[in-house]
Amino acid sequence: MSAETLPPQPPPLPATDPPSSPTPRISIVHGPVIVGAGPSGLAVAASLRRLCVPSVILERSDGIADLWSHRMYDRLTLHLPKPFCQLPHLPFPAYFPSYPSKDHFLGYLHAYAHHFSLRPLFGCTVIDARFDPAVSLWRVTAIRRDLSDVPMQALSPSRSSDSLSESSRSTSSVSSETLTEPREPEVVEFLSPWLVVATGENAEPVVPEIKGAEGFEGSLLHSSEYKSGVEYEGKRVLVVGCGNSGMEICVDLCEHGAMPFMSVRSGVHILPREMLGTSTFGVAMKLLRWLPTKVVDRFLLIMAKMMIGDTEKYGLKRPKVGPLELKNTTGKTPVLDVGALSRIKDERIKIVSEVESLTSNGAKFVDGGEMAFHAVVFATGYKSNAPLWLKEAGVLTAEGKPEHSFPNGEKGIYFVGFSGKGLLGASVDAIKTALDVSARWTRLSESKDVGL
């Protein structure tokens, strides 16, 4: 299956307060409001649907999985085997390779949404979300554009909340019926007892501020804008960052006849993607059932040294903390080698130190070196965008991560895809969230019936 061709990604979320004009239209939602139609949002919506709980998915872009559709390089494959990456309740097709490609994964996500009849409200940018204690509801304000259908997951809504007071603003109840397509962007306030934040940890590109960047005359881009090395044939390209994306982009550049240089600032754990005839991740998961993390880390590092050698002699120092412990404490993922290390060893990929500044035609490094480059690619990762719109105090850390660990559900808010454990962690969060919301939804429905 191949990915659909979708329009370019929308502009970043505005960091301003909701506009005072026009007056928002209110939509009452009789299930959770889910923000984000990526893998996390789809997983929790599907899990809720299986429990007969309606939901509404709000998505700022024009299609599902915007990150995967528009901001991933062409050669990308999933870093872990498919059993660890599939979403709940629907496995990957048997004919998919062990490590599905980006196009395979996008095709799977579209099939997943179709299978569970998930209909996100696209073109709907959330700009504010706050809990209203007076009515015990979340007020989620969004700008809605160019959409004609309403995303109710199969069930028609129950009665409107008695605690909602009428106002001069127009009020509607979100249902499976089709609304008239707005002729221009419309401000809508969604009201729900539950809010599921499913925008994930990788919503906005992180681009470091480097002195001299404004004067660099070559191509300057984030990895989210990089697609293929075909346009860099014969060119010198500096890749800033040595994680999985940085390594794979360097491999891609090599394969297209470019000359990649990788800037390494800190230590990195490189592990073979497979060992003992199976995936390294699978081996680690099995060992963690019986052994402490530190012991498993020692085993992985011993095996890595036997299989790929000492990476430090090539300028890739290992952190003092083991790969799994480092992942658990900082979220930094070890690199699973897909061919970069052999190219580093034969110097087709050259390792350079941390960038001190950019010049008009290249870069200066902290070790005093200076080189000329045609392009600079920042493989420096992503961050959460939740702080831009989730304005409720006490639910986010300064880094945009959940303040409290799951499960919590305090004030009816849940986070899916923020565990730092990839697609597998998002799937686990989605199932737990759906079960907790389902229990609360059932109690709320029963209390309304009793009150009749």
Side-chain angles (χ1 to χ4, degrees), residues 157-177:
S158 56
R159 300 168 193 81
S160 300
S161 173
D162 294 333
S163 60
L164 286 174
S165 60
E166 295 294 333
S167 70
S168 59
R169 296 176 288 184
S170 60
T171 305
S172 65
S173 181
V174 176
S175 70
S176 57
E177 298 177 358

Side-chain angles (χ1 to χ4, degrees), residues 208-216 355-359 362-364:
E209 293 185 5
I210 295 181
K211 184 173 63 175
E214 67 283 353
F216 180 65
V355 177
E356 187 273 328
S357 64
L358 295 180
T359 63
K364 293 180 179 179

